[in-house]
Amino acid sequence: MKVININSSYDSDFVREVEEESGQKLNLCYQCGKCTAGCPYTDEYDISVSQIMRLTQAGQKEKVLQSNSLWLCATCESCTSRCPNEIDVALIMDVLRHMARREGYTGTGRVKTFWDSFLSSVEKNGRVFEVGLLVNYISHTGRFWTDVDLGPKVLPKGKIHFKPTEMQGKKEVAKIFMRFNEESAK
Amino acid sequence: MKIGVFVCHCGSNIEATVDTATVAAAAREFPGVVFATDTMYTCSEPGQDEIVDAIKEHNLDGIVVASCSPRMHEQTFRRTVERAGLNKYLFEMANIREHVSWIGKDREANTNKAVDLVRMASEKLMNNQPLYPKKFTINKRVLIIGGGVAGIQAALDCADGGLEVVMVEKTSTIGGKMAKLDKTFPTVDCSSCILGPRMVDVAQHPNITLYAFSEIEEINGYVGNFEIKVKKKATYVDWDACTGCGICMEKCPSKKATDTFNEEIDFTKAINIPFAQAIPKKAKIDPEFCTMLKKGKCGVCAKVCPSGCIDYEMKDEFITEKVGAIVTATGFDLFDWTVYEEYGGGRYPDVITSLQYERMLSASGPTGGHIKRPSDGKEPKDVVFIQCVGSRDKSVGRPYCTGFCCMYTAKQAILTKDHLPGSQSYVFYMDIRAAGKLYDEFTRRAMEEYDTNYIRGRVSMIYPKGDKLLVRGADTLMGTQVEVDADLVVLAVGAEASKGASKLAEKLRISYDSYGFYMEGHPKLKPVETNTAGVYLAGACQGPKDIPSSVAQGSAAAAKVLGLFSKDQLESDPQVSTVDIKRCIGCGKCIQTCPFGAIKEIDFRGMIKANVIETICQGCGICTSTCPQGAVQLQHSTDNQILSEVNALCQF
Amino acid sequence: MNTSLNYAYYPGCSSTGTSVEYDMSSRAICAALGIQLQDVPDWSCCGSTPAHTVDHSLSSALSARNLDQVASMGLDSCITPCPSCLANLKTAKHKMQDENFRDKVNKLLEKPANTQVETKSVLQILVEDYGIENIKKKVVKPLTGLVVGAYYGCILNRPAELMQFDSREHPMAMDNIMEALGATVVPFPLKVECCGASFGIPRKDVVMRLSGKLLDTAQEIGALALVTACPLCQMNLDMRQSQINRANGTKHNIPIFYFTQLLGLALGLTEKELGMDKLCVSPRTLLNSIAKEEQIKEKAA
């Protein structure tokens, strides 16, 4: 185990950034663990959510941003709903994820790839085109067996379309992404 | 007038951000000021001596001290000037600590503000008059409100000290929360064995009059002379005749009455005596459940009562008692934990409160001391205790620590093992607060000798799984989520101010905090006094307290009452309103506006005039701002005195 | 009853695909109850979870484009069947009350968006605006004999400050509706526990575990079916039920309805209109048994 020097490893810019972007005060957290207690994803996390809170409070930027947990939070709001100190923990997880993205962390990657595929489907079609999204995801991950077993079940239901629905303003939506990318590049 | 000014450093409290020497120098230029200096600690003995010496040396006839809040040391300095032969009202205080040095960092601005405050004080002082208190006799009887352990202690101490005591208890028995407990920490001695004899003492003490099942309707008067209207609620049983034999309760066919004494883990009868050791041991009818009172049919209790004491026509009765002091010991209630929907919000029968568990553990409780699950009556094997339910939780408006739950939870875990040796207890906790004599040793014993499994973390949810309850919490020391399959879950529900505390406070004219707990006179130095003279506090009405602390406060409040009553007469505060009879036009506005009923109409040579009853007037000054003629003046805060302060401040 | 209930309707992307039956049944029951819906004319994706995990201004911009359209329809409230869309649309309105944030979002849009419109769920307006008592009056085919649990999912009611509907821990809206329709409602203890959300594709194992637990619980409490109000919950529990069975070694065969489908059934709408045939776990046997129970009851009467 690594010994952490509390003062020299404390990244005050990181703490300030998290607080500013989330509007939450990290020192309200007294480590009761109720967020971890209720988090349905704890089983998958490498660092439990209450420990993410503690590491963030302690300014341990690197350790937090490289955590796979950030990518496995589904924003189910259990933590936020039950926090005795009324901290919006799910929002902090969201903000940490934004920072992780900006710093080039991806967790184990698959979740991020899925989310990216989802958004590129929206960017392209204005709305999500489910089949397109799946194909895109598979082409990026090579996981060609994803949900093939569902094909025979779902196809006869007529729910699956092989062409995206058309909408007038899809260029407008694409422009939102374009402007966003420009703004982010600034 | 020859005024002396003393500007205090208060160590570095004031001096750090106020240039006291400059303030003193500025004061020397004020009209009337013949002497001014800065001192290190004006309140210290040498500091006070300096004032006395200056008065003598410079023939001063008025003193200004610029230091802390008058709430801190006004009394101190009034005694000092009195010692030097001045009237104590020829003294003014400028608060340059709380109002200046503690709230600003700019030394120059602070110094200027301090100069202004001293100028105001000295201008007012020039308009001050010597005032003289009057003496009045006091009624040496004391009212104790609440018959829990704190009230019992206060009552017995006062009664043993020779005072006549009137005790008013809202429920039909005294004993309070302690009477519901099985054992007490950290000694694990039987609660009713130690409380029971005290309850009997209350009943048998020749100096104590007990009104059980009664409430305070109205309080009038002032320290030394209160008049109390007590409502004796209808019990439908003639208590003078009732022997407490219990036959009525045995035969009553209405079996589903709410059993508040047993925390509703069982039902009681419509006519009931709360428990075998109740004091007074008298029956009362709960009209909500009595068929006779609701439908005019039944009458079984009247038929079986051997002393013929059932009276279905009984009405509430009002009694007036005169006392000189009041001790309020109204205790606490449990937080309504059902707001925790994640713990089932009351939907799961096997999730109970710690006080319900206490009734279950008690040999005289509804289960005869057997631990049984409410759902199926089975003995539990795995018992989970959850601490801080309604404590240290901002999200439910209870950020404070109740303080005694850690201890009773440890006790209940120990008792669980004693009752059910094959059981296993788990305690979800955040911190173990065991600061008290033998307290930490006790919680350690729960772990070391009784193998209680302490898990450091809060619980996020409880839900039924088969015939068990799944408790999902965190173990923050292990750093992960944990689950416990529980047969029974006991919530360490926090304490809150007792229901009706704020209403009673308004009758007593005492203040309470945002949670409804009564405010003590000073957080350190006046723990059992209130800001209303003659009204004292004991026990958990002031804030959550365990038994030893409640008892200590009961005794402390009794000591205060005995001290107060050691004099035969009290001095009234001369800072009251007076009416200039020439100016008064008898409009009566002041009478209407006075919150204390201290102003009465009198006939003065055929004309209506207002007259202030000095002993009732609290000096609030509302009448003075209401009077259209300026005829009512509050002594020591007269219009002229206030205007002189305003003029001193608004010079430019 | 308010007879002039009129809302803008935002279907959400999944309505065009995997949750088409939610959309069909929502429209059908509104028509049957006289609730008027006007489609947001050129609606686009709200951004769902992926957008807010990237950036809040992007997420809000995608939502704001739709809110602006609702405002230009001259309507002040919009309803959507999907809780994820609901959360995003509500979050955008809420966050854009902050001036700096609003400027940031407007920079991403063609023109500054008017986001002053309220968004509610179809469930919320049924309960709050239409009223369960009034629904009860319209029931022609009670769901006699249907033993059902109501599963709300995690974000329909949470966070409470934002969603402002029902209880965040123990919601009752669907339970109450099902009871009004004549069904036997068994209290579902994991009403707001997450189903695994959108991890079905990237982390199927997570959905198998979480949705598996929900199905196990439904079976334990004796629910013959679950009702849901969320496309993602329904998809995980219904479409992936066979995968869950395979992964966990279970044999669940629990139909997962949208509450609107069962409501429609009780209002006398046809199974076809309600998209009953779109469900992966066939509700056939269950629906037959309801009809039979009803016949027995009628005969007895």
Side-chain angles (χ1 to χ4, degrees):
Chain A
M1 249 182 182
K2 225 179 124 196
V3 175
I4 292 170
N5 181 294
I6 289 287
N7 39 13
S8 69
S9 68
Y10 179 80
D11 186 336
S12 59
D13 290 340
F14 170 64
V15 172
R16 199 182 49 241
E17 230 176 297
V18 174
E19 291 200 332
E20 269 173 21
E21 290 185 26
S22 66
Q24 305 297 304
K25 195 168 157 54
L26 291 167
N27 280 346
L28 288 177
C29 175
Y30 59 22
Q31 283 294 309
C32 70
K34 201 173 181 183
C35 48
T36 291
C39 175
Y41 295 88
T42 304
D43 235 21
E44 334 295 335
Y45 279 10
D46 55 344
I47 301 175
S48 67
V49 53
S50 52
Q51 290 184 326
I52 293 271
M53 286 297 292
R54 176 60 192 143
L55 288 164
T56 309
Q57 205 177 43
Q60 305 294 311
K61 178 175 177 178
E62 179 85 24
K63 185 114 198 248
V64 171
L65 294 190
Q66 71 182 16
S67 167
N68 206 25
S69 305
L70 302 185
W71 303 95
L72 289 163
C73 164
T75 322
C76 80
E77 308 283 356
S78 292
C79 48
T80 296
S81 285
R82 295 174 188 155
C83 175
N85 295 311
E86 300 177 312
I87 304 169
D88 194 339
V89 184
L91 181 62
I92 289 176
M93 290 296 276
D94 222 15
V95 162
L96 291 171
R97 205 154 31 200
H98 301 165
M99 292 168 84
R101 250 180 203 275
R102 291 201 297 263
E103 307 264 337
Y105 295 99
T106 61
T108 53
R110 253 147 63 199
V111 174
K112 181 176 175 293
T113 306
F114 174 73
W115 285 340
D116 290 348
S117 306
F118 183 102
L119 289 175
S120 69
S121 178
V122 177
E123 183 173 2
K124 210 159 122 197
N125 308 302
R127 296 175 190 163
V128 174
F129 168 43
E130 287 166 334
V131 172
L133 155 63
L134 190 62
V135 169
N136 188 337
Y137 170 78
I138 290 169
S139 73
H140 278 90
T141 57
R143 297 173 71 86
F144 55 85
W145 59 88
T146 305
D147 282 341
V148 283
D149 56 323
L150 293 180
K153 264 192 180 316
V154 183
L155 283 177
K157 306 282 176 197
K159 291 169 140 185
I160 300 297
H161 307 286
F162 292 91
K163 264 172 45 191
T165 56
E166 277 307 316
M167 61 167 288
Q168 287 175 349
K170 75 179 187 188
K171 283 208 179 103
E172 272 176 44
V173 177
K175 275 187 180 163
I176 292 175
F177 281 91
M178 198 186 73
R179 292 189 200 102
F180 172 72
N181 290 332
E182 283 168 13
E183 287 290 323
S184 313
K186 275 182 192 168
Chain B
M1 185 178 259
K2 285 173 155 179
I3 295 173
V5 175
F6 296 82
V7 187
C8 183
H9 295 201
C10 196
S12 62
N13 273 307
I14 294 171
E15 182 57 32
T17 59
V18 175
D19 184 348
T20 52
T22 302
V23 176
R28 281 182 210 114
E29 306 303 317
F30 298 160
V33 175
V34 298
F35 177 83
T37 185
D38 56 297
T39 58
M40 190 66 178
Y41 288 108
T42 319
C43 61
S44 66
E45 204 181 345
Q48 292 189 44
D49 288 346
E50 216 180 319
I51 296 176
V52 174
D53 294 344
I55 291 172
K56 291 189 175 146
E57 192 180 326
H58 301 281
N59 280 325
L60 304 176
D61 48 15
I63 295 295
V64 171
V65 173
S67 58
C68 50
S69 159
R71 285 194 59 178
M72 189 74 203
H73 277 314
E74 191 172 57
Q75 295 299 336
T76 313
F77 295 125
R78 280 182 175 171
R79 279 195 299 269
T80 310
V81 300
E82 235 172 6
R83 201 143 51 87
L86 297 187
N87 183 281
K88 67 180 178 185
Y89 295 96
L90 297 176
F91 165 76
E92 283 297 325
M93 214 164 164
N95 181 358
I96 61 167
R97 192 177 74 174
E98 284 85 343
H99 287 179
V100 182
S101 70
W102 279 357
I103 55 166
K105 286 185 180 145
D106 182 335
R107 192 170 164 90
E108 196 190 334
N110 278 1
T111 305
N112 289 338
K113 185 176 174 189
V115 169
D116 283 343
L117 293 180
V118 174
R119 187 190 291 119
M120 281 170 71
S122 72
E123 288 288 341
K124 174 168 185 258
L125 181 57
M126 295 226 277
N127 285 281
N128 280 10
Q129 299 291 326
L131 298 173
Y132 302 95
K134 290 189 178 141
K135 298 209 167 196
F136 61 93
T137 54
I138 55 175
N139 181 335
K140 293 187 183 180
R141 301 176 85 229
V142 57
L143 168 72
I144 314 279
I145 308 172
V149 68
I152 288 174
Q153 184 73 19
L156 290 174
D157 282 1
C158 287
D160 288 345
L163 302 181
E164 266 186 57
V165 176
V166 177
M167 177 181 267
V168 174
E169 163 58 40
K170 159 168 85 171
T171 67
S172 70
T173 176
I174 60 169
K177 296 282 186 297
M178 188 177 169
K180 299 186 181 195
L181 306 182
D182 177 35
K183 302 279 184 348
T184 57
F185 62 79
T187 43
V188 201
D189 44 356
C190 159
S191 186
S192 57
C193 306
I194 52 177
L195 181 68
R198 293 306 191 90
M199 291 166 63
V200 174
D201 288 348
V202 169
Q204 294 180 349
H205 205 294
N207 285 353
I208 300 178
T209 308
L210 171 63
Y211 296 111
F213 208 57
S214 299
E215 286 180 49
I216 302 296
E217 184 75 7
E218 214 178 294
I219 299 174
N220 284 306
Y222 50 94
V223 57
N225 293 285
F226 289 108
E227 197 175 292
I228 318 290
K229 197 166 156 193
V230 178
K231 176 161 96 177
K232 280 179 77 181
K233 296 179 281 187
T235 56
Y236 307 98
V237 176
D238 176 2
W239 277 12
D240 291 334
C242 176
T243 60
C245 70
I247 293 175
C248 54
M249 189 171 171
E250 201 184 306
K251 301 289 181 197
C252 173
S254 173
K255 298 172 184 172
K256 292 278 177 190
T258 309
D259 191 349
T260 42
F261 183 78
N262 283 315
E263 292 291 313
E264 302 186 25
I265 59 169
D266 201 359
F267 293 105
T268 185
K269 301 287 186 70
I271 186 163
N272 60 71
I273 298 169
F275 61 110
Q277 296 80 21
I279 297 285
K281 197 177 176 188
K282 307 284 179 189
K284 65 149 204 312
I285 294 178
D286 190 343
E288 205 188 322
F289 299 97
C290 173
T291 329
M292 188 67 191
L293 288 170
K294 277 196 317 193
K295 295 177 187 159
K297 283 183 220 150
C298 185
V300 169
C301 51
K303 276 180 221 130
V304 300
C305 176
S307 8
C309 51
I310 309 295
D311 174 7
Y312 297 116
E313 306 293 318
M314 191 183 268
K315 297 270 176 303
D316 293 349
E317 190 187 336
F318 293 91
I319 288 167
T320 303
E321 286 283 356
K322 292 186 172 179
V323 297
I326 301 171
V327 176
T328 170
T330 46
F332 67 96
D333 273 314
L334 288 191
F335 174 74
D336 176 11
W337 73 273
T338 57
V339 299
Y340 286 94
E341 290 275 13
E342 61 266 46
Y343 297 165
R347 293 187 302 280
Y348 309 138
D350 295 333
V351 179
I352 62 173
T353 70
S354 44
L355 207 49
Q356 290 176 321
Y357 195 53
E358 207 68 51
R359 293 311 300 146
M360 210 183 268
L361 290 167
S362 168
S364 59
T367 59
H370 296 295
I371 304 173
K372 292 175 177 174
R373 306 205 317 169
S375 61
D376 55 11
K378 282 188 194 152
E379 277 185 359
K381 194 187 156 292
D382 294 299
V383 182
V384 170
F385 295 88
I386 303 177
Q387 296 203 176
C388 298
V389 178
S391 290
R392 303 178 68 194
D393 189 339
K394 282 183 195 148
S395 70
V396 298
R398 294 288 176 271
Y400 55 84
C401 171
T402 294
F404 50 70
C405 315
C406 288
M407 294 306 300
Y408 73 62
T409 298
K411 175 197 74 181
Q412 291 184 337
I414 287 174
L415 293 176
T416 304
K417 198 75 161 183
D418 279 343
H419 282 63
L420 304 169
S423 68
Q424 176 64 50
S425 292
Y426 305 83
V427 177
F428 281 95
Y429 73 100
M430 290 206 291
D431 298 290
I432 299 174
R433 306 234 156 134
K437 197 170 171 181
L438 296 174
Y439 282 15
D440 199 60
E441 294 90 323
F442 185 72
T443 59
R444 291 302 314 161
R445 231 170 89 204
M447 291 175 241
E448 292 164 7
E449 291 175 33
Y450 289 84
D451 298 325
T452 308
N453 190 344
Y454 270 72
I455 304 161
R456 202 272 167 204
R458 266 198 194 267
V459 167
S460 175
M461 65 189 292
I462 302 169
Y463 66 94
K465 198 162 185 258
D467 74 336
K468 293 235 177 194
L469 289 162
L470 194 126
V471 180
R472 191 200 281 174
D475 184 327
T476 60
L477 303 180
M478 289 204 285
T480 191
Q481 193 178 98
V482 293
E483 292 180 341
V484 184
D485 296 314
D487 297 299
L488 183 68
V489 177
V490 181
L491 307 177
V493 176
E496 62 180 19
S498 65
K499 284 164 196 73
S502 52
K503 263 194 188 152
L504 180 65
E506 279 149 30
K507 288 176 188 164
L508 287 163
R509 296 194 295 269
I510 59 174
S511 33
Y512 48 94
D513 65 20
S514 50
Y515 307 105
F517 291 114
Y518 296 157
M519 297 283 280
E520 64 278 19
H522 185 279
K524 282 124 197 157
L525 302 176
K526 293 182 177 177
V528 296
E529 291 97 318
T530 65
N531 283 330
T532 299
V535 178
Y536 303 94
L537 306 174
C541 62
Q542 179 265 347
K545 251 169 226 70
D546 62 8
I547 295 167
S549 304
S550 297
V551 170
Q553 279 209 336
S555 284
K560 285 285 160 193
V561 174
L562 288 162
L564 178 77
F565 288 174
S566 66
K567 304 180 192 91
D568 295 323
Q569 288 192 316
L570 291 180
E571 283 190 348
S572 64
D573 187 343
Q575 295 179 86
V576 293
S577 288
T578 53
V579 180
D580 181 347
I581 212 134
K582 293 190 293 299
R583 282 190 162 188
C584 175
I585 53 167
C587 68
K589 283 189 175 133
C590 55
I591 299 173
Q592 285 164 22
T593 197
C594 175
F596 305 103
I599 310 181
K600 296 274 180 289
E601 213 175 83
I602 52 160
D603 182 272
F604 180 77
R605 296 177 189 162
M607 285 178 293
I608 294 170
K609 299 282 179 186
N611 184 46
V612 176
I613 304 159
E614 282 180 32
T615 45
I616 300 181
C617 175
Q618 300 289 310
C620 72
I622 292 178
C623 54
T624 63
S625 49
T626 312
C627 179
Q629 296 293 308
V632 190
Q633 289 292 321
L634 176 61
Q635 298 309 300
H636 211 56
S637 294
T638 62
D639 288 353
N640 285 343
Q641 286 167 338
I642 292 168
L643 283 171
S644 65
E645 288 181 297
V646 174
N647 287 336
L649 195 60
C650 309
Q651 286 184 319
F652 311 105
Chain C
M1 176 179 34
N2 187 346
T3 47
S4 59
L5 294 175
N6 191 0
Y7 305 93
Y9 180 74
Y10 177 84
C13 300
S14 62
S15 70
T16 63
T18 42
S19 77
V20 63
E21 65 272 43
Y22 195 12
D23 182 58
M24 292 165 70
S25 54
S26 292
R27 289 176 191 274
I29 56 152
C30 284
L33 296 173
I35 299 168
Q36 288 175 41
L37 303 181
Q38 295 178 46
D39 278 38
V40 178
D42 192 40
W43 63 271
S44 50
C45 178
C46 69
S48 193
T49 305
H52 76 69
T53 66
V54 171
D55 186 86
H56 291 151
S57 62
L58 174 65
S59 171
S60 288
L62 291 169
S63 290
R65 183 182 177 272
N66 295 294
L67 294 175
D68 187 67
Q69 288 188 53
V70 177
S72 54
M73 290 162 78
L75 291 168
D76 54 9
S77 51
C78 170
I79 63 171
T80 177
C82 170
S84 182
C85 300
L86 177 71
N88 277 309
L89 296 171
K90 282 178 96 81
T91 303
K93 174 184 155 89
H94 174 73
K95 289 191 75 131
M96 285 174 74
Q97 283 162 3
D98 177 86
E99 209 171 320
N100 288 333
F101 186 79
R102 191 173 64 226
D103 290 347
K104 219 169 140 190
V105 173
N106 280 335
K107 259 191 200 165
L108 305 180
L109 296 165
E110 297 287 307
K111 59 180 173 60
N114 179 349
T115 52
Q116 287 311 304
V117 293
E118 210 55 67
T119 313
K120 290 177 182 176
S121 66
V122 172
L123 179 63
Q124 184 175 6
I125 64 110
L126 285 174
V127 172
E128 290 181 355
D129 298 358
Y130 193 86
I132 291 180
E133 277 311 303
N134 293 319
I135 291 177
K136 206 170 174 174
K137 287 180 205 152
K138 297 261 184 169
V139 172
V140 293
K141 280 188 176 168
L143 306 178
T144 316
L146 175 66
V147 182
V148 67
Y151 170 61
Y152 295 77
C154 49
I155 56 168
L156 184 63
N157 310 81
R158 304 192 304 196
E161 295 72 26
L162 180 72
M163 303 316 272
Q164 302 277 335
F165 172 57
D166 211 346
S167 157
R168 59 176 195 185
E169 290 290 347
H170 189 245
M172 284 299 288
M174 283 198 287
D175 293 66
N176 293 339
I177 289 182
M178 288 303 128
E179 207 171 273
L181 304 181
T184 306
V185 183
V186 281
F188 190 64
L190 299 176
K191 280 180 177 180
V192 296
E193 191 74 358
C194 190
C195 66
S198 63
F199 290 124
I201 291 172
R203 284 293 303 269
K204 199 170 82 182
D205 57 319
V206 178
V207 175
M208 301 298 103
R209 184 172 65 82
L210 293 174
S211 284
K213 189 147 98 181
L214 297 172
L215 292 171
D216 295 346
T217 305
Q219 190 181 21
E220 250 171 53
I221 61 166
L224 302 178
L226 287 180
V227 275
T228 61
C230 170
L232 212 46
C233 299
Q234 198 277 345
M235 184 169 78
N236 282 337
L237 293 168
D238 177 48
M239 194 175 88
R240 297 194 184 277
Q241 199 169 113
S242 57
Q243 291 179 330
I244 291 167
N245 282 335
R246 223 171 307 134
N248 301 351
T250 49
K251 288 183 177 154
H252 295 303
N253 184 27
I254 303 173
I256 312 293
F257 295 102
Y258 288 104
F259 79 97
T260 43
Q261 291 180 296
L262 289 180
L263 174 53
L265 211 59
L267 295 178
L269 304 179
T270 66
E271 290 184 16
K272 189 88 195 149
E273 291 172 271
L274 299 166
M276 288 292 186
D277 58 328
K278 308 282 184 192
L279 299 176
C280 291
V281 176
S282 168
R284 190 68 272 139
T285 323
L286 194 60
L287 294 179
N288 288 346
S289 76
I290 301 174
K292 211 174 274 168
E293 286 265 358
E294 195 45 36
Q295 278 170 4
I296 296 168
K297 231 174 74 178
E298 268 172 27
K299 266 186 200 157

